[in-house]
mmCIF file of all heavy atoms in Angstrom:
data_model
loop_
_atom_site.group_PDB
_atom_site.id
_atom_site.type_symbol
_atom_site.label_atom_id
_atom_site.label_comp_id
_atom_site.label_asym_id
_atom_site.label_seq_id
_atom_site.Cartn_x
_atom_site.Cartn_y
_atom_site.Cartn_z
ATOM 1 N N ILE A 220 0.843 -1.225 0.010
ATOM 2 C CA ILE A 220 -0.002 0.028 -0.020
ATOM 3 C C ILE A 220 0.862 1.240 0.024
ATOM 4 O O ILE A 220 0.659 2.180 -0.782
ATOM 5 C CB ILE A 220 -0.985 -0.044 1.240
ATOM 6 C CG1 ILE A 220 -1.981 -1.122 1.058
ATOM 7 C CG2 ILE A 220 -1.638 1.299 1.472
ATOM 8 C CD1 ILE A 220 -2.834 -1.419 2.229
ATOM 9 N N ALA A 221 1.933 1.224 0.839
ATOM 10 C CA ALA A 221 2.795 2.432 0.870
ATOM 11 C C ALA A 221 3.519 2.635 -0.458
ATOM 12 O O ALA A 221 3.565 3.800 -0.910
ATOM 13 C CB ALA A 221 3.860 2.283 2.013
ATOM 14 N N ARG A 222 3.941 1.504 -1.066
ATOM 15 C CA ARG A 222 4.546 1.639 -2.393
ATOM 16 C C ARG A 222 3.620 2.290 -3.421
ATOM 17 O O ARG A 222 3.912 3.092 -4.287
ATOM 18 C CB ARG A 222 5.018 0.292 -2.878
ATOM 19 C CG ARG A 222 5.780 0.282 -4.234
ATOM 20 C CD ARG A 222 6.091 -1.092 -4.693
ATOM 21 N NE ARG A 222 4.889 -1.983 -4.772
ATOM 22 C CZ ARG A 222 4.954 -3.206 -4.951
ATOM 23 N NH1 ARG A 222 6.112 -3.856 -5.040
ATOM 24 N NH2 ARG A 222 3.830 -3.975 -5.113
ATOM 25 N N ALA A 223 2.338 1.801 -3.402
ATOM 26 C CA ALA A 223 1.293 2.327 -4.270
ATOM 27 C C ALA A 223 1.041 3.795 -4.086
ATOM 28 O O ALA A 223 0.680 4.438 -5.033
ATOM 29 C CB ALA A 223 0.041 1.481 -4.182
ATOM 30 N N LEU A 224 1.238 4.222 -2.835
ATOM 31 C CA LEU A 224 0.998 5.673 -2.567
ATOM 32 C C LEU A 224 2.202 6.520 -2.821
ATOM 33 O O LEU A 224 2.070 7.787 -2.792
ATOM 34 C CB LEU A 224 0.633 5.780 -1.032
ATOM 35 C CG LEU A 224 -0.707 5.197 -0.602
ATOM 36 C CD1 LEU A 224 -0.818 5.257 0.911
ATOM 37 C CD2 LEU A 224 -1.859 5.796 -1.318
ATOM 38 N N ALA A 225 3.309 5.996 -3.206
ATOM 39 C CA ALA A 225 4.546 6.676 -3.264
ATOM 40 C C ALA A 225 4.492 7.787 -4.394
ATOM 41 O O ALA A 225 5.134 8.876 -4.297
ATOM 42 C CB ALA A 225 5.748 5.785 -3.575
ATOM 43 N N THR A 226 3.731 7.571 -5.469
ATOM 44 C CA THR A 226 3.650 8.517 -6.561
ATOM 45 C C THR A 226 2.510 9.485 -6.395
ATOM 46 O O THR A 226 2.025 10.159 -7.378
ATOM 47 C CB THR A 226 3.509 7.782 -7.939
ATOM 48 O OG1 THR A 226 2.434 6.885 -7.898
ATOM 49 C CG2 THR A 226 4.782 6.899 -8.189
ATOM 50 N N ASP A 227 1.896 9.532 -5.218
ATOM 51 C CA ASP A 227 0.798 10.452 -4.896
ATOM 52 C C ASP A 227 -0.387 10.214 -5.865
ATOM 53 O O ASP A 227 -0.886 11.130 -6.587
ATOM 54 C CB ASP A 227 1.217 11.899 -4.983
ATOM 55 C CG ASP A 227 2.267 12.268 -3.965
ATOM 56 O OD1 ASP A 227 2.062 11.797 -2.801
ATOM 57 O OD2 ASP A 227 3.164 12.919 -4.266
ATOM 58 N N PRO A 228 -0.900 8.954 -5.873
ATOM 59 C CA PRO A 228 -2.055 8.651 -6.831
ATOM 60 C C PRO A 228 -3.312 9.329 -6.364
ATOM 61 O O PRO A 228 -3.467 9.679 -5.155
ATOM 62 C CB PRO A 228 -2.143 7.110 -6.715
ATOM 63 C CG PRO A 228 -1.648 6.800 -5.334
ATOM 64 C CD PRO A 228 -0.528 7.789 -5.092
ATOM 65 N N GLU A 229 -4.241 9.487 -7.287
ATOM 66 C CA GLU A 229 -5.600 10.001 -7.013
ATOM 67 C C GLU A 229 -6.578 8.819 -6.827
ATOM 68 O O GLU A 229 -7.645 8.990 -6.194
ATOM 69 C CB GLU A 229 -6.043 10.957 -8.065
ATOM 70 C CG GLU A 229 -5.208 12.210 -8.257
ATOM 71 C CD GLU A 229 -5.579 12.922 -9.511
ATOM 72 O OE1 GLU A 229 -6.066 12.396 -10.493
ATOM 73 O OE2 GLU A 229 -5.317 14.154 -9.504
ATOM 74 N N VAL A 230 -6.151 7.667 -7.323
ATOM 75 C CA VAL A 230 -6.957 6.452 -7.272
ATOM 76 C C VAL A 230 -6.167 5.274 -6.787
ATOM 77 O O VAL A 230 -4.935 5.178 -7.190
ATOM 78 C CB VAL A 230 -7.622 6.107 -8.532
ATOM 79 C CG1 VAL A 230 -8.385 4.775 -8.553
ATOM 80 C CG2 VAL A 230 -8.491 7.281 -9.117
ATOM 81 N N LEU A 231 -6.702 4.447 -5.917
ATOM 82 C CA LEU A 231 -5.998 3.249 -5.511
ATOM 83 C C LEU A 231 -6.820 2.071 -5.928
ATOM 84 O O LEU A 231 -7.994 1.924 -5.531
ATOM 85 C CB LEU A 231 -5.838 3.236 -3.979
ATOM 86 C CG LEU A 231 -4.961 2.129 -3.371
ATOM 87 C CD1 LEU A 231 -3.506 2.195 -3.959
ATOM 88 C CD2 LEU A 231 -4.855 2.226 -1.866
ATOM 89 N N LEU A 232 -6.319 1.234 -6.766
ATOM 90 C CA LEU A 232 -7.042 -0.013 -7.305
ATOM 91 C C LEU A 232 -6.535 -1.109 -6.463
ATOM 92 O O LEU A 232 -5.324 -1.482 -6.533
ATOM 93 C CB LEU A 232 -6.689 -0.195 -8.823
ATOM 94 C CG LEU A 232 -6.971 0.969 -9.760
ATOM 95 C CD1 LEU A 232 -6.517 0.648 -11.195
ATOM 96 C CD2 LEU A 232 -8.500 1.314 -9.700
ATOM 97 N N CYS A 233 -7.433 -1.850 -5.794
ATOM 98 C CA CYS A 233 -7.083 -2.941 -4.873
ATOM 99 C C CYS A 233 -7.676 -4.277 -5.435
ATOM 100 O O CYS A 233 -8.905 -4.412 -5.348
ATOM 101 C CB CYS A 233 -7.574 -2.696 -3.503
ATOM 102 S SG CYS A 233 -7.122 -1.122 -2.788
ATOM 103 N N ASP A 234 -6.838 -5.072 -5.997
ATOM 104 C CA ASP A 234 -7.377 -6.346 -6.625
ATOM 105 C C ASP A 234 -7.222 -7.449 -5.626
ATOM 106 O O ASP A 234 -6.131 -8.018 -5.443
ATOM 107 C CB ASP A 234 -6.589 -6.626 -7.892
ATOM 108 C CG ASP A 234 -7.157 -7.784 -8.694
ATOM 109 O OD1 ASP A 234 -8.193 -8.325 -8.314
ATOM 110 O OD2 ASP A 234 -6.573 -8.144 -9.751
ATOM 111 N N GLU A 235 -8.264 -7.772 -4.906
ATOM 112 C CA GLU A 235 -8.322 -8.847 -3.911
ATOM 113 C C GLU A 235 -7.241 -8.565 -2.818
ATOM 114 O O GLU A 235 -6.545 -9.520 -2.409
ATOM 115 C CB GLU A 235 -8.151 -10.262 -4.557
ATOM 116 C CG GLU A 235 -9.270 -10.629 -5.472
ATOM 117 C CD GLU A 235 -10.455 -11.168 -4.763
ATOM 118 O OE1 GLU A 235 -10.512 -11.067 -3.534
ATOM 119 O OE2 GLU A 235 -11.406 -11.643 -5.407
ATOM 120 N N GLY A 236 -7.147 -7.342 -2.412
ATOM 121 C CA GLY A 236 -6.075 -6.969 -1.561
ATOM 122 C C GLY A 236 -6.097 -7.587 -0.173
ATOM 123 O O GLY A 236 -5.102 -7.512 0.594
ATOM 124 N N THR A 237 -7.181 -8.169 0.245
ATOM 125 C CA THR A 237 -7.234 -8.781 1.610
ATOM 126 C C THR A 237 -7.492 -10.338 1.560
ATOM 127 O O THR A 237 -7.600 -10.938 2.580
ATOM 128 C CB THR A 237 -8.418 -8.201 2.444
ATOM 129 O OG1 THR A 237 -9.644 -8.368 1.780
ATOM 130 C CG2 THR A 237 -8.183 -6.645 2.673
ATOM 131 N N SER A 238 -7.553 -10.839 0.331
ATOM 132 C CA SER A 238 -7.943 -12.273 0.251
ATOM 133 C C SER A 238 -6.914 -13.261 0.824
ATOM 134 O O SER A 238 -7.300 -14.370 1.231
ATOM 135 C CB SER A 238 -8.158 -12.642 -1.256
ATOM 136 O OG SER A 238 -9.269 -11.989 -1.731
ATOM 137 N N ALA A 239 -5.683 -12.799 0.887
ATOM 138 C CA ALA A 239 -4.609 -13.751 1.454
ATOM 139 C C ALA A 239 -4.359 -13.506 2.962
ATOM 140 O O ALA A 239 -3.490 -14.098 3.539
ATOM 141 C CB ALA A 239 -3.296 -13.483 0.698
ATOM 142 N N LEU A 240 -5.230 -12.724 3.578
ATOM 143 C CA LEU A 240 -5.082 -12.412 4.963
ATOM 144 C C LEU A 240 -6.132 -12.952 5.857
ATOM 145 O O LEU A 240 -7.244 -13.301 5.500
ATOM 146 C CB LEU A 240 -5.168 -10.814 5.133
ATOM 147 C CG LEU A 240 -4.216 -10.042 4.192
ATOM 148 C CD1 LEU A 240 -4.435 -8.543 4.422
ATOM 149 C CD2 LEU A 240 -2.777 -10.394 4.420
ATOM 150 N N ASP A 241 -5.787 -13.196 7.165
ATOM 151 C CA ASP A 241 -6.740 -13.709 8.104
ATOM 152 C C ASP A 241 -7.692 -12.572 8.491
ATOM 153 O O ASP A 241 -7.479 -11.432 8.252
ATOM 154 C CB ASP A 241 -5.989 -14.222 9.346
ATOM 155 C CG ASP A 241 -5.207 -13.140 10.128
ATOM 156 O OD1 ASP A 241 -5.850 -12.299 10.722
ATOM 157 O OD2 ASP A 241 -4.011 -13.112 9.957
ATOM 158 N N PRO A 242 -8.867 -12.914 9.125
ATOM 159 C CA PRO A 242 -9.847 -11.975 9.420
ATOM 160 C C PRO A 242 -9.391 -10.787 10.235
ATOM 161 O O PRO A 242 -9.753 -9.608 9.926
ATOM 162 C CB PRO A 242 -10.936 -12.755 10.178
ATOM 163 C CG PRO A 242 -10.769 -14.169 9.703
ATOM 164 C CD PRO A 242 -9.296 -14.319 9.450
ATOM 165 N N LYS A 243 -8.582 -10.951 11.219
ATOM 166 C CA LYS A 243 -8.147 -9.848 12.089
ATOM 167 C C LYS A 243 -7.235 -8.932 11.287
ATOM 168 O O LYS A 243 -7.380 -7.680 11.377
ATOM 169 C CB LYS A 243 -7.273 -10.418 13.358
ATOM 170 C CG LYS A 243 -6.897 -9.310 14.211
ATOM 171 C CD LYS A 243 -6.097 -9.904 15.429
ATOM 172 C CE LYS A 243 -5.641 -8.801 16.372
ATOM 173 N NZ LYS A 243 -4.885 -9.334 17.495
ATOM 174 N N THR A 244 -6.374 -9.489 10.502
ATOM 175 C CA THR A 244 -5.390 -8.608 9.698
ATOM 176 C C THR A 244 -6.289 -7.903 8.559
ATOM 177 O O THR A 244 -5.941 -6.746 8.227
ATOM 178 C CB THR A 244 -4.358 -9.532 9.008
ATOM 179 O OG1 THR A 244 -3.684 -10.263 10.051
ATOM 180 C CG2 THR A 244 -3.377 -8.718 8.299
ATOM 181 N N THR A 245 -7.237 -8.642 8.030
ATOM 182 C CA THR A 245 -8.141 -7.977 7.019
ATOM 183 C C THR A 245 -8.751 -6.766 7.598
ATOM 184 O O THR A 245 -8.828 -5.663 6.955
ATOM 185 C CB THR A 245 -9.220 -8.976 6.530
ATOM 186 O OG1 THR A 245 -8.564 -10.003 5.810
ATOM 187 C CG2 THR A 245 -10.206 -8.256 5.673
ATOM 188 N N ARG A 246 -9.324 -6.800 8.802
ATOM 189 C CA ARG A 246 -9.976 -5.631 9.442
ATOM 190 C C ARG A 246 -8.940 -4.497 9.614
ATOM 191 O O ARG A 246 -9.327 -3.341 9.366
ATOM 192 C CB ARG A 246 -10.510 -6.036 10.842
ATOM 193 C CG ARG A 246 -11.791 -6.932 10.722
ATOM 194 C CD ARG A 246 -12.467 -7.049 12.026
ATOM 195 N NE ARG A 246 -11.652 -7.810 13.014
ATOM 196 C CZ ARG A 246 -11.635 -9.101 13.200
ATOM 197 N NH1 ARG A 246 -12.431 -9.839 12.431
ATOM 198 N NH2 ARG A 246 -11.013 -9.625 14.180
ATOM 199 N N ALA A 247 -7.692 -4.791 9.938
ATOM 200 C CA ALA A 247 -6.691 -3.761 10.147
ATOM 201 C C ALA A 247 -6.402 -3.123 8.857
ATOM 202 O O ALA A 247 -6.193 -1.850 8.732
ATOM 203 C CB ALA A 247 -5.432 -4.368 10.738
ATOM 204 N N ILE A 248 -6.270 -3.914 7.734
ATOM 205 C CA ILE A 248 -5.963 -3.383 6.401
ATOM 206 C C ILE A 248 -7.149 -2.515 5.901
ATOM 207 O O ILE A 248 -6.873 -1.418 5.355
ATOM 208 C CB ILE A 248 -5.532 -4.454 5.435
ATOM 209 C CG1 ILE A 248 -4.295 -5.111 5.833
ATOM 210 C CG2 ILE A 248 -5.518 -3.935 3.966
ATOM 211 C CD1 ILE A 248 -3.078 -4.246 5.765
ATOM 212 N N LEU A 249 -8.343 -2.925 6.116
ATOM 213 C CA LEU A 249 -9.462 -2.170 5.741
ATOM 214 C C LEU A 249 -9.526 -0.883 6.458
ATOM 215 O O LEU A 249 -9.921 0.209 5.920
ATOM 216 C CB LEU A 249 -10.753 -2.926 5.944
ATOM 217 C CG LEU A 249 -10.971 -4.206 5.077
ATOM 218 C CD1 LEU A 249 -12.242 -4.952 5.371
ATOM 219 C CD2 LEU A 249 -10.947 -3.831 3.549
ATOM 220 N N ALA A 250 -9.245 -0.874 7.805
ATOM 221 C CA ALA A 250 -9.238 0.395 8.591
ATOM 222 C C ALA A 250 -8.177 1.322 7.976
ATOM 223 O O ALA A 250 -8.388 2.523 7.978
ATOM 224 C CB ALA A 250 -8.938 0.037 10.002
ATOM 225 N N LEU A 251 -7.001 0.792 7.538
ATOM 226 C CA LEU A 251 -5.980 1.635 6.972
ATOM 227 C C LEU A 251 -6.435 2.291 5.652
ATOM 228 O O LEU A 251 -6.291 3.436 5.431
ATOM 229 C CB LEU A 251 -4.696 0.785 6.732
ATOM 230 C CG LEU A 251 -3.616 1.472 5.954
ATOM 231 C CD1 LEU A 251 -3.103 2.734 6.690
ATOM 232 C CD2 LEU A 251 -2.444 0.487 5.742
ATOM 233 N N LEU A 252 -7.175 1.427 4.813
ATOM 234 C CA LEU A 252 -7.613 1.965 3.548
ATOM 235 C C LEU A 252 -8.685 3.021 3.817
ATOM 236 O O LEU A 252 -8.696 4.056 3.080
ATOM 237 C CB LEU A 252 -8.262 0.830 2.744
ATOM 238 C CG LEU A 252 -7.241 -0.158 2.196
ATOM 239 C CD1 LEU A 252 -7.972 -1.353 1.483
ATOM 240 C CD2 LEU A 252 -6.297 0.485 1.205
ATOM 241 N N LYS A 253 -9.561 2.828 4.800
ATOM 242 C CA LYS A 253 -10.575 3.903 5.093
ATOM 243 C C LYS A 253 -9.876 5.202 5.549
ATOM 244 O O LYS A 253 -10.307 6.234 5.235
ATOM 245 C CB LYS A 253 -11.488 3.397 6.165
ATOM 246 C CG LYS A 253 -12.494 2.293 5.773
ATOM 247 C CD LYS A 253 -13.303 1.805 6.928
ATOM 248 C CE LYS A 253 -14.434 2.769 7.305
ATOM 249 N NZ LYS A 253 -15.380 2.163 8.247
ATOM 250 N N ARG A 254 -8.837 5.063 6.313
ATOM 251 C CA ARG A 254 -8.085 6.215 6.736
ATOM 252 C C ARG A 254 -7.439 6.965 5.603
ATOM 253 O O ARG A 254 -7.441 8.179 5.510
ATOM 254 C CB ARG A 254 -7.012 5.805 7.776
ATOM 255 C CG ARG A 254 -6.190 6.933 8.335
ATOM 256 C CD ARG A 254 -5.106 6.439 9.223
ATOM 257 N NE ARG A 254 -4.155 7.421 9.550
ATOM 258 C CZ ARG A 254 -2.891 7.240 10.002
ATOM 259 N NH1 ARG A 254 -2.458 5.945 10.138
ATOM 260 N NH2 ARG A 254 -2.048 8.212 10.276
ATOM 261 N N ILE A 255 -6.861 6.173 4.611
ATOM 262 C CA ILE A 255 -6.233 6.778 3.472
ATOM 263 C C ILE A 255 -7.328 7.559 2.647
ATOM 264 O O ILE A 255 -7.077 8.635 2.208
ATOM 265 C CB ILE A 255 -5.613 5.672 2.618
ATOM 266 C CG1 ILE A 255 -4.316 5.175 3.311
ATOM 267 C CG2 ILE A 255 -5.331 6.114 1.219
ATOM 268 C CD1 ILE A 255 -3.704 3.935 2.749
ATOM 269 N N ASN A 256 -8.475 6.919 2.493
ATOM 270 C CA ASN A 256 -9.578 7.536 1.787
ATOM 271 C C ASN A 256 -9.993 8.877 2.479
ATOM 272 O O ASN A 256 -10.173 9.889 1.813
ATOM 273 C CB ASN A 256 -10.767 6.569 1.637
ATOM 274 C CG ASN A 256 -11.986 7.225 1.106
ATOM 275 O OD1 ASN A 256 -12.909 7.585 1.881
ATOM 276 N ND2 ASN A 256 -12.060 7.437 -0.148
ATOM 277 N N ARG A 257 -10.132 8.800 3.791
ATOM 278 C CA ARG A 257 -10.622 9.971 4.561
ATOM 279 C C ARG A 257 -9.601 11.088 4.633
ATOM 280 O O ARG A 257 -9.867 12.213 4.383
ATOM 281 C CB ARG A 257 -11.034 9.463 5.960
ATOM 282 C CG ARG A 257 -11.538 10.531 6.854
ATOM 283 C CD ARG A 257 -11.951 10.022 8.233
ATOM 284 N NE ARG A 257 -10.804 9.510 8.977
ATOM 285 C CZ ARG A 257 -10.525 8.277 9.253
ATOM 286 N NH1 ARG A 257 -11.316 7.278 8.725
ATOM 287 N NH2 ARG A 257 -9.465 7.912 9.878
ATOM 288 N N GLU A 258 -8.308 10.719 4.968
ATOM 289 C CA GLU A 258 -7.335 11.740 5.234
ATOM 290 C C GLU A 258 -6.627 12.264 3.991
ATOM 291 O O GLU A 258 -6.228 13.387 3.885
ATOM 292 C CB GLU A 258 -6.301 11.197 6.236
ATOM 293 C CG GLU A 258 -6.850 10.845 7.661
ATOM 294 C CD GLU A 258 -5.787 10.423 8.531
ATOM 295 O OE1 GLU A 258 -4.598 10.397 8.203
ATOM 296 O OE2 GLU A 258 -6.184 10.069 9.664
ATOM 297 N N LEU A 259 -6.428 11.346 2.921
ATOM 298 C CA LEU A 259 -5.712 11.787 1.759
ATOM 299 C C LEU A 259 -6.734 12.078 0.610
ATOM 300 O O LEU A 259 -6.253 12.572 -0.440
ATOM 301 C CB LEU A 259 -4.736 10.699 1.346
ATOM 302 C CG LEU A 259 -3.640 10.276 2.445
ATOM 303 C CD1 LEU A 259 -2.712 9.268 1.809
ATOM 304 C CD2 LEU A 259 -2.908 11.492 2.919
ATOM 305 N N GLY A 260 -7.927 11.692 0.752
ATOM 306 C CA GLY A 260 -8.947 12.033 -0.258
ATOM 307 C C GLY A 260 -8.761 11.134 -1.527
ATOM 308 O O GLY A 260 -9.231 11.533 -2.645
#
């Protein structure tokens, strides 16, 4: 995710970005994505 943000994108395309993760980790990654959407627009 940090690498994808390095070029200051306006859009983040996530192709099954949580499918390889356990439920607890998935929730943490989704919370991070929500924060990125909210704080970085």
Side-chain angles (χ1 to χ4, degrees):
I220 290 170
R222 181 184 58 190
L224 295 175
T226 57
D227 295 318
E229 298 172 333
V230 178
L231 190 59
L232 305 175
C233 307
D234 191 1
E235 297 280 9
T237 60
S238 295
L240 307 177
D241 62 74
K243 181 179 179 180
T244 305
T245 291
R246 289 192 294 272
I248 292 297
L249 294 178
L251 173 60
L252 291 174
K253 288 177 75 171
R254 180 184 169 201
I255 288 167
N256 171 258
R257 182 178 65 252
E258 295 183 5
L259 304 183

